[in-house]
Amino acid sequence: MFNERLRHALHQGTRYSRGIAVMFIDIDRFKVVNDSLGPQRRGPPASGQRQRLTECLRESDTVGTPSG
């Protein structure tokens, strides 16, 4: 979904001569923390971060990861 939305935003920006913004956030040692939780508990830290970011953005903005 992330890649589709990014591609669409780039197309719209080019088509209408408008800029877009992309922000990448690298959470230090996130993989280590996520892997230590085990397969049943993976996801909550990312979900919590995603929820906090979503609350700060417009409804039309996208929060996601490049891998999924």
Side-chain angles (χ1 to χ4, degrees):
M1 182 163 135
F2 172 84
N3 288 333
E4 291 173 25
R5 294 244 176 134
L6 178 58
R7 191 174 7 264
H8 179 72
L10 290 169
H11 175 73
Q12 293 291 91
T14 301
R15 182 176 183 183
Y16 297 108
S17 299
R18 297 181 67 182
I20 69 163
V22 177
M23 180 172 67
F24 286 93
I25 300 173
D26 183 15
I27 301 173
D28 290 338
R29 299 178 4 170
F30 179 76
K31 181 174 176 14
V32 174
V33 172
N34 203 38
D35 288 349
S36 72
L37 296 173
Q40 279 70 28
R41 299 227 15 224
R42 283 190 190 138
S47 296
Q49 295 295 331
R50 185 177 296 115
Q51 180 64 34
R52 284 192 275 288
L53 288 170
T54 301
E55 290 170 359
C56 299
L57 300 174
R58 299 172 301 185
E59 191 173 318
S60 61
D61 292 335
T62 300
V63 175
T65 59
S67 61

